[in-house]
Amino acid sequence: MTFVVPFDGSEMATAALARAVEYADALDEEVVAVSVVSERKRYAREKGWIGEEQAFDVDNVVSRLRDQVTELAPDATFEHERIREYPPAREIANEIASVAEQYDPTVMFLGSENVGRVVTPLTSIGANVASDLTYDVYVVRHTTPPRLDEIEAHPEFYQDTTT
């Protein structure tokens, strides 16, 4: 089994990666983090990868995402795709699915506050990735760990584990 985590460095993606690592540790499975980086400045600013006046260097963003993954999940594999255009959610989801397919995942861990709601925003990457029926989807909606005795929580991933 392989657990795949779309990773953009956000708080929810970080929580999803942490959750995937916790489950992977318990089940002795592999984790793959997948980042899709657009070469467009506007997208980088929206993701918080660069500031308003900061120059955009795609390689620098990829390096920082890789460093975040390595810090949180040293044994995880990091994959990334670069795309030229300003990406609609469906295209990012397709890129993630394409990379994930190489690993034949059994579970996709999605960090999202809105995946699976009755009304799904058209811009939801998670909703598009979750529509693939070849793997199960674990939706991480909270940044704090689950309360399962069998799963060893990694408190270093979480800012506040008292919630």
Side-chain angles (χ1 to χ4, degrees):
M1 283 198 301
T2 302
F3 301 152
V4 173
V5 183
F7 188 80
D8 63 4
S10 68
E11 185 177 34
M12 293 309 298
T14 299
L17 180 59
R19 210 66 41 83
V21 167
E22 291 164 352
Y23 280 75
D25 285 352
L27 299 171
D28 194 28
E29 301 301 339
E30 294 181 44
V31 175
V32 178
V34 180
S35 296
V36 176
V37 179
S38 170
E39 295 180 351
R40 300 291 181 222
K41 248 189 253 186
R42 183 175 140 213
Y43 186 73
R45 284 193 180 106
E46 286 177 8
K47 290 307 230 179
W49 295 336
I50 61 171
E52 196 59 42
E53 300 300 321
Q54 223 173 339
F56 179 47
D57 178 351
V58 175
D59 292 330
N60 188 19
V61 169
V62 169
S63 180
R64 282 187 296 173
L65 290 168
R66 177 181 284 114
D67 289 348
Q68 281 182 276
V69 168
T70 301
E71 184 179 325
L72 292 168
D75 295 329
T77 299
F78 175 78
E79 295 283 352
H80 75 280
E81 288 294 319
R82 291 170 61 150
I83 55 177
R84 295 191 54 81
E85 53 283 320
Y86 185 83
R90 171 51 80 190
E91 184 173 335
I92 293 174
N94 288 342
E95 291 292 332
I96 291 167
S98 176
V99 172
E101 188 176 290
Q102 298 170 37
Y103 291 91
D104 192 26
T106 50
V107 180
M108 179 78 68
F109 282 75
L110 297 174
S112 178
E113 295 169 333
N114 62 19
V115 169
R117 291 194 179 156
V118 174
V119 178
T120 301
L122 294 175
T123 59
S124 172
I125 294 165
N128 288 297
V129 172
S131 66
D132 191 320
L133 301 177
T134 61
Y135 45 75
D136 285 337
V137 177
Y138 182 111
V139 178
V140 177
R141 291 189 174 126
H142 305 284
T143 56
T144 55
R147 289 176 175 76
L148 299 174
D149 294 336
E150 296 80 19
I151 304 297
E152 179 186 344
H154 291 267
E156 67 273 16
F157 294 152
Y158 306 102
Q159 292 182 3
D160 179 13
T161 58
T162 59
T163 308

